[in-house]
């Protein structure tokens, strides 16, 4: 985003952000329309391009913003007294679904983003997710008791990342855009509980 975007008043900035979320919640990247955003935000096309470089720039900003919102929500709400990595991971997943239940449009934006494997932005979306998880991982994994496992922390994190990312990719390929938050939670949590508990059993000392 251009510097002028960050110099907008909070009201105008939020108005533009909410207009983008509304449009991106309805369509995958290729089908989204800057004209719809302009109409919703009540600004001119020239006005919009004072704040953004292009549609891709705007889209990835919104994706990054939503992901940060989810991680911040998890940081504030997860039970940090849980000292088992796998139980904390499950609690983080639960917090993520709780966030989506109260932010339906953001849920639709992310559903579209992950579903659309052919999008020119898909690799960037996955990279943003990976980098944000890495950035916040130290905070979210604070005070885990790693001594209870026979594998070391580095290997546990690597194994978990590979297996869960593999599951996520396989799930995306059969994802349905008409899922509700509750339906997605039911399907994914059942599978992820099995995966997480299997790894937990394997590395438990």
């Amino acid at each position: 985003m251009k510097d002028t975007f960050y110099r907008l008043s909070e009201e105008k900035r939020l108005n533009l952000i909410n207009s983008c979320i509304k449009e991106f919640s309805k369509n995958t990247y290729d089908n989204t329309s800057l004209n719809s955003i302009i109409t919703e935000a009540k600004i001119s096309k020239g006005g919009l391009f004072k704040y953004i470089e292009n549609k891709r720039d705007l889209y990835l900003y919104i994706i990054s913003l939503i992901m940060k919102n989810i991680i911040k929500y998890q940081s504030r709400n997860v039970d940090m007294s849980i000292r088992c990595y796998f139980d904390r991971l499950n609690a983080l997943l639960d917090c993520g679904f709780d966030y989506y239940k109260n932010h339906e449009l953001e849920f639709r934006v992310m559903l579209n983003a992950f579903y659309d494997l052919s999008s020119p932005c898909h690799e960037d979306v996955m990279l943003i997710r990976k980098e944000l998880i890495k950035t916040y991982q130290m905070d979210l994994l604070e005070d885990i008791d790693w001594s209870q496992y026979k594998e070391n922390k580095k290997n546990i994190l690597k194994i978990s990342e590979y297996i869960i990312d593999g599951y996520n990719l396989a799930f995306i390929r059969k994802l349905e855009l008409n899922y509700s938050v509750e339906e997605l939670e039911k399907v994914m949590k059942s599978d992820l509980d099995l995966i997480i508990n299997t790894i937990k059993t394997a590395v438990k000392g």
Side-chain angles (χ1 to χ4, degrees):
M1 303 291 277
K2 293 181 179 178
D3 289 342
T4 47
F5 171 78
Y6 299 100
R7 292 199 293 269
L8 281 169
S9 68
E10 183 177 6
E11 181 182 358
K12 289 182 177 178
R13 191 167 62 251
L14 287 176
N15 177 53
L16 179 53
I17 287 170
N18 289 333
S19 298
C20 293
I21 290 174
K22 187 173 182 180
E23 172 62 16
F24 293 142
S25 72
K26 297 175 183 177
N27 299 291
T28 55
Y29 175 79
D30 284 335
N31 294 325
T32 53
S33 166
L34 290 183
N35 288 331
S36 295
I37 291 170
I38 289 164
T39 301
E40 180 70 26
K42 297 181 172 59
I43 58 176
S44 66
K45 195 163 190 175
L48 179 63
F49 281 97
K50 288 180 182 178
Y51 311 126
I52 71 170
E53 295 293 343
N54 48 48
K55 176 178 161 181
R56 183 192 188 95
D57 177 50
L58 180 60
Y59 183 74
L60 293 177
Y61 170 79
I62 295 297
I63 294 294
S64 178
L65 181 66
I66 293 173
M67 288 187 185
K68 287 177 182 176
N69 287 343
I70 294 168
I71 292 174
K72 287 176 183 177
Y73 180 87
Q74 290 172 316
S75 298
R76 290 194 301 268
N77 292 280
V78 73
D79 183 357
M80 296 299 284
S81 69
I82 299 172
R83 301 196 66 203
C84 169
Y85 164 69
F86 300 97
D87 294 342
R88 179 83 65 83
L89 186 56
N90 261 322
L92 289 169
L93 291 170
D94 289 339
C95 281
F97 283 114
D98 287 344
Y99 179 86
Y100 278 142
K101 287 171 187 174
N102 295 306
H103 299 83
E104 177 73 19
L105 292 183
E106 292 185 28
F107 169 69
R108 291 292 157 199
V109 173
M110 298 309 299
L111 200 62
N112 284 329
F114 285 111
Y115 173 84
D116 190 11
L117 294 174
S118 64
S119 165
C121 298
H122 191 265
E123 287 188 13
D124 292 304
V125 168
M126 301 308 288
L127 182 61
I128 289 170
R129 174 181 173 273
K130 186 173 184 177
E131 290 302 312
L132 284 175
I133 289 174
K134 188 186 299 182
T135 300
Y136 287 94
Q137 193 172 60
M138 290 301 294
D139 291 336
L140 294 174
L141 298 182
E142 185 179 352
D143 292 332
I144 295 294
D145 177 14
W146 297 101
S147 67
Q148 60 190 299
Y149 309 117
K150 60 187 177 184
E151 269 302 340
N152 63 51
K153 173 182 175 180
K154 182 179 179 181
N155 287 344
I156 289 172
L157 293 177
K158 185 183 294 185
I159 291 166
S160 300
E161 179 185 354
Y162 287 159
I163 293 177
I164 293 173
D165 280 354
Y167 165 76
N168 285 337
L169 182 58
F171 182 77
I172 287 168
R173 295 185 187 279
K174 59 181 182 181
L175 187 61
E176 298 289 342
L177 284 180
N178 61 353
Y179 276 131
S180 66
V181 181
E182 290 78 10
E183 287 171 330
L184 190 69
E185 179 181 26
K186 183 178 180 180
V187 174
M188 291 195 73
K189 275 293 290 175
S190 176
D191 290 346
L192 288 172
D193 282 347
L194 175 62
I195 291 168
I196 291 169
N197 286 326
T198 300
I199 305 171
K200 177 181 176 180
T201 301
V203 302
K204 198 75 172 171

